Amino acid sequence: MNKWLRATLIICYLVFLFFMYTVTIDKYEMMYEIDPSIPTGAFNNDGAGRVVGGFLLGMIICVQTLSLILEKTNKWKLLSVILALIAVFLYVFR
């Protein structure tokens, strides 16, 4: 694979992973830390972050699948599978 294409795919992966991690954060978590009298989970979170996070996870899987198809060496193919699994792990356990 071309080095520029590989670098672009890795940068896309990192950007998507960063945004996936940031949009799935509970937006009310700061309030629980400021006022300990408010029980955790007291506010209804609309879950829009999970929808956007799921879309970004899909984009990450697409980028890594494209990388898996275009790579010629097994080392880079294994790395693309590992990176996709890391993204799935972070999405599920976030």
Side-chain angles (χ1 to χ4, degrees), residues 28-43:
Y28 298 113
E29 188 170 342
M30 175 197 62
M31 294 178 71
Y32 304 137
E33 294 173 1
I34 291 173
D35 189 2
S37 66
I38 300 173
T40 303
F43 296 104

Side-chain angles (χ1 to χ4, degrees), residues 1 4 13 21 26-27 36 43-45 48 55 58-60 62 69-70 72 77 81 84-85 93:
M1 178 189 302
W4 289 104
Y13 168 79
Y21 188 74
D26 184 11
K27 59 185 174 184
F43 296 104
N44 186 9
N45 198 356
F55 172 74
M59 294 301 295
I60 288 172
C62 288
I69 292 169
L70 295 177
K72 293 180 178 34
K77 287 184 179 191
V81 170
L85 289 175
F93 290 109

Side-chain angles (χ1 to χ4, degrees), residues 16-27 29 45 47-57 90-94:
F16 290 153
L17 189 66
F18 172 75
F19 283 126
M20 183 186 72
Y21 188 74
T22 56
V23 298
T24 56
I25 294 174
D26 184 11
K27 59 185 174 184
E29 188 170 342
N45 198 356
R50 296 299 272 180
V51 173
V52 175
F55 172 74
L56 289 171
L57 178 65
L90 286 176
Y91 178 77
V92 169
F93 290 109
R94 177 70 185 139

